[in-house]
Amino acid sequence: MNFADLAWPAIRDIVARGHAVAILPCGATEAHGPHLPLGTDVIISEGVARRAAETLERSGVAALVLPSIAYAPADCAAEFAGTITIGASAAKAILIDIARSLKMQGFSCLGLANSHFDPANVAMLRDVVADIRGMGLAVAFPDFTRRALAQRLTAEFLSGACHAGRFESSLVLADRPDLVNEAVRRALPENPSSLTAAFSRGARTFSEAGGADAYFGDPRHATAEEGERTFRVMADALVAAVREVIAG
């Protein structure tokens, strides 16, 4: 299931059987509060991709998880140590070239598992999806910043106060609890400031949005059980998007 773990003849044979799907986890290297790792978005996207691929495989669809994208536009968190931000044009170019290579090899669909919701990154992904489809490769991209999908997620996510809060902390607890600083997480007060509202007012950074410690929401009440439920919702949305595009 992990693309990079296979030798090239295995990839050739999978593609030859038809309707092969490649799922690309898209994340960032970015500050996520004082309690979560910089790779939080990558961890979440990989968890979504893995669960979606497992579901697709069980239904007879060949699905492989590509090596993750760990760099993206992340200017909102650039003031915090550890954040690595790249330009939208650079990020877009990488994704276009990945898609072009997959199309040349005969893949039927590229699935994007994204959990980095920086507005610049989401805008870039929307643009790149249109460009890749214009190349003739089907793309499955469940955009959780769209209200129809956002409503399937948690109340905190809908509130907009959801960076390194209960929503993301629960997801990391579900898959990589060893990377969560529990002593710090349990001591953090809730930060109800909404990133969505702040950005709509013109805020450009986490600090301007009211997140002096690079988190929004309520990390203290995160649970692995909530994270697993959220993973299932996000993976199911990706599976549905893949099935829709490969059905034509």
Side-chain angles (χ1 to χ4, degrees):
M1 189 174 66
N2 290 319
F3 188 96
D5 291 346
L6 301 175
W8 73 264
I11 302 295
R12 177 199 60 199
D13 295 345
I14 289 169
V15 172
R17 292 196 291 269
H19 298 297
V21 176
I23 300 176
L24 179 62
C26 299
T29 301
E30 175 189 50
H32 278 78
H35 61 296
L36 291 182
L38 296 168
T40 286
D41 291 339
V42 176
I43 291 167
I44 295 171
S45 294
E46 287 177 344
V48 172
R50 185 178 68 254
R51 288 167 174 82
E54 289 170 350
T55 299
L56 288 166
E57 285 283 350
R58 286 195 296 269
S59 66
V61 177
L64 296 172
V65 179
L66 295 165
S68 302
I69 297 290
Y71 304 102
D75 287 351
C76 294
E79 62 193 304
F80 295 95
T83 298
I84 298 176
T85 181
I86 66 173
S89 59
K92 183 175 179 179
I94 291 170
L95 292 171
I96 290 288
D97 282 349
I98 290 171
R100 183 176 291 113
S101 183
L102 292 169
K103 183 177 185 296
M104 288 173 57
Q105 294 181 44
F107 278 85
S108 299
C109 174
L110 172 62
L112 298 179
N114 176 62
S115 62
H116 177 52
F117 302 118
D118 183 298
N121 188 58
V122 173
M124 181 276 296
L125 288 173
R126 290 175 182 169
D127 285 346
V128 85
V129 165
D131 288 350
I132 293 170
R133 287 173 176 160
M135 291 164 41
L137 179 64
V139 184
F141 174 47
D143 182 354
F144 291 101
T145 66
R146 299 294 194 189
R147 190 157 189 83
L149 285 179
Q151 288 177 329
R152 302 182 190 179
L153 299 177
T154 68
E156 184 181 270
F157 186 86
L158 280 170
S159 77
C162 59
H163 181 83
R166 177 172 176 168
F167 174 78
E168 289 191 322
S169 297
S170 292
L171 287 160
V172 180
L173 283 170
D175 264 14
R176 290 301 307 272
D178 56 305
L179 296 181
V180 181
N181 188 323
E182 282 291 86
V184 172
R185 179 183 73 82
R186 290 173 179 170
L188 289 173
E190 180 180 5
N191 177 9
S193 300
S194 170
L195 277 169
T196 305
F199 289 154
S200 68
R201 294 193 303 267
R204 295 170 297 173
T205 67
F206 285 166
S207 289
E208 290 178 0
D213 289 316
Y215 80 93
F216 299 79
D218 189 8
R220 285 180 302 176
H221 290 93
T223 66
E225 292 76 17
E226 178 177 307
E228 189 55 51
R229 290 193 298 270
T230 302
F231 267 130
R232 190 70 268 154
V233 171
M234 297 176 78
D236 286 350
L238 179 53
V239 168
V242 168
R243 286 176 173 158
E244 181 179 356
V245 298
I246 64 176

